Amino acid sequence: MRIFLEQMINGLTIGSFYALIALGYSMVYGVMKLINFAHGDLFALGSYLGFSLLVWGSAYVTSHVGLAGGMIAAMLIAAIGIGMAGIIVERIAYRPIYPAGRLPAVVSALGVSIFLQNAIMVAWGPRYQAYPVNVVPTVRFEIGGIHITLLQIIILILSFILLALLYYIIQKTTFGAAIRASALDRDTAALMGININTVIFFIFALGPALGGTAGVMVGMYYRQISFTMGWNYGLKAFTATILGGIGNIPGAMVGGLLLGIFEMLGSAYISTAYKDVFVFLILILVLIFRPRGLLGEKVAEKV
Amino acid sequence: MKLDKNIIFKNWLILIAIVLLSVAPFMMNNYWIDVFFFFGIYALLGLSLNIVLGEVGLFDLGHVAFMAIGAYTTAILNTKFGIPIIILLPVSALAAAGFAWLVCSPIIHLRGDYLCIVTIGMGEIVRLTLINNPFGITGGPNGVFGIDFPSLGNIFMIDNSTEFYFLIWIVVGLTILALINLQRSRIGRAWNCIREDEIAAESTGIDVRYYKLLAFILGAGLAGVAGNIYASKLMIVSPESFTFMESCMLFCIVLIGGMGSIPGVLIGAAAISLFPEVFRTFAQYRMLIFGAAMVIMMVFRPGGIWPRKRGAVEFKSLLLKAGRDNV
């Protein structure tokens, strides 16, 4: 039981990374009907940006605002930087192609992904980079016999705040309603006076910003980052998006958390080597039996 | 008149291409012959994906898995049982096709992006399974090595770059002939009909499920052939060769060239395989340039370099012929 609960907490931690990344995929897919293959690499770029800030700026920042301030500053700057990168990617690579249909956009997205991945490699070098060890003091708590680290608590709290904030924006504000309306039907939403370009601008800033934050968290959690990590996390997060129902914001959150838990329980009780196989198997089974995802609504087929 | 000119131009182009390809290996060093060999492999894979993606419009982002099945079938049967590569060529094609039938039967009803995602998942599962060395036959991350060259007793043996070059390009040539015939057949028309409008196709009595599966099985079989030749050329197969990235490259070959267009696939394969070689002087920046080139390409020519012409011209010529007969 103790192992089970500890694995649940580990699963929730990774799941919150997946959920944060998945939101970017889901929002973009909802409005643009485009699988943004570059999103995973934006996430990796965020991780590297956070790395540089923590390595170069940590001494200066921590001497002024303390350790926690330095960490939050790194996340914030990574989020802003990646949000801007997301907007640039949309302007250059997606907007001119959008009228030509969806398939050219997929190629363009793959092109951006290759570009970003190699840009990271050129800028930071092909070797693995190690995050500084002492960003968060390695303190372990024991609650009812379950071990949990301070870092995990911080990651869980921060990501749940972010998820809750996004949930609030999407579900409760007028602007969120505009996003949901555009996801349902772009043309009709435009006719109702919603400025689609603003919506696209917003989702391409917010999605990658969350991804960039997740990138810093992943760096702090695993302490090791590589320029190819974008593919792997991107694919997993995308799986999470499908699991929850693509284009559905709460679905992406639930899907991400569930995927993290599945992965951890799978590796704890079935086989570590096959944990990724397990993840993709779940994806395929969900698509065969419930293609709209766990929280997705049934969409009538358009003729 | 215009029509005839077009056909003459096309025939000349084909002739020139064949002559150039057959004299090319005698004018290049071994390095470039190998580069052109891989161009041929990508062309074959592009043609096989073109059946699925170009003709039927099924998004397949895990196509390299079928090649992996073909390559591993060849590698394992050859190294464990000593079966000659030539005999394994149809065997690998059948293995890949059988795998496609098995895997795609339950997912064939999915559409568009959903199918795309399932094929990504399938490709990853195949790769991860190969890495994990099931039953100790795939050799884990190291792969299988020591694969023979294709040979037929003492009669002939394909063991140098030039011979491999001719092997792959003859296979590509035969495949193109077969595919052109297929495009003009009932099957090809049914495929294109499904691509344009699936519901309309179904309502006119086309067995959509059957034709989609057929496309997957044929495409996978061809990819299996490519896997066989690839394995015997490299003499080693390892899971690293069959990553998601490779599937993406194949996807790009079809889309850069122009969906459903055979010359387009050849151009796309040339772009993907020759581009990184030509830009080798840029060293670490070449993939950077490559990614940027893909984006620029799609911005300025979203339909591909050589998009397939619709059958309007053929229809007109049919009308003309009919008119002449009536007069």
Side-chain angles (χ1 to χ4, degrees), chain A residues 29 36 128 171 180-181 184 252-253 270:
Chain A
Y29 187 89
N36 183 9
Y128 280 88
Q171 301 289 345
R180 280 181 288 140
L184 268 182
M253 299 177 185
I270 299 172

Side-chain angles (χ1 to χ4, degrees), chain A residues 29 37 100 102 104 107-108 110-111 114-115 118-119 122 231 235 238 242 246 273-274 276-277 287 291 301, chain B residues 61 110-111 113-114 117-118 120 124-125 128 132 199 244-245 248-249 255 259 285 287-288 291 294-295 298 302:
Chain A
Y29 187 89
F37 281 104
R102 291 166 53 199
V107 175
S108 185
L110 287 170
I114 293 171
F115 179 85
N118 285 281
V122 168
W231 275 116
L235 218 53
F238 193 68
I242 305 297
I246 195 160
Y274 282 94
D276 287 354
V277 174
L287 278 177
E301 208 167 83
Chain B
L61 259 175
L110 295 171
R111 290 190 181 184
D113 294 329
Y114 289 110
I117 296 147
V118 170
I120 294 175
E124 282 299 291
I125 287 177
L128 292 166
N132 283 322
I199 292 164
F244 176 48
M245 190 72 196
C248 292
M249 286 292 124
L255 285 168
M259 277 232 297
Y285 295 99
M287 289 311 280
L288 202 77
M294 273 165 72
V295 176
M298 283 298 123

Side-chain angles (χ1 to χ4, degrees), chain B residues 110-265:
Chain B
L110 295 171
R111 290 190 181 184
D113 294 329
Y114 289 110
L115 188 70
C116 170
I117 296 147
V118 170
T119 53
I120 294 175
M122 176 202 70
E124 282 299 291
I125 287 177
V126 167
R127 187 178 66 86
L128 292 166
T129 311
L130 292 174
I131 290 177
N132 283 322
N133 200 3
F135 314 114
I137 55 169
T138 66
N142 297 329
V144 181
F145 40 85
I147 303 157
D148 291 337
F149 289 126
S151 64
L152 203 66
N154 293 327
I155 307 166
F156 76 94
M157 186 162 177
I158 296 173
D159 60 357
N160 62 40
S161 294
T162 317
E163 285 167 4
F164 266 110
Y165 172 92
F166 280 115
L167 173 67
I168 186 74
W169 280 103
I170 287 169
V171 172
V172 170
L174 291 175
T175 309
I176 291 176
L177 280 182
L179 286 182
I180 289 174
N181 279 322
L182 208 57
Q183 273 185 350
R184 291 176 184 156
S185 72
R186 188 187 173 82
I187 296 173
R189 287 197 302 275
W191 279 345
N192 292 353
C193 187
I194 294 171
R195 180 186 62 199
E196 297 306 326
D197 192 333
E198 197 177 320
I199 292 164
E202 198 156 17
S203 63
T204 49
I206 294 170
D207 188 346
V208 171
R209 191 186 150 78
Y210 169 79
Y211 280 107
K212 278 179 166 181
L213 256 182
L214 187 68
F216 257 114
I217 288 169
L218 281 179
L222 266 181
V225 170
N228 172 284
I229 298 173
Y230 177 85
S232 67
K233 162 78 184 174
L234 287 192
M235 296 160 67
I236 175 167
V237 287
S238 70
E240 283 156 53
S241 318
F242 309 110
T243 54
F244 176 48
M245 190 72 196
E246 288 297 316
S247 291
C248 292
M249 286 292 124
L250 299 183
F251 203 80
C252 294
I253 286 177
V254 175
L255 285 168
I256 286 176
M259 277 232 297
S261 139
I262 289 172
V265 168

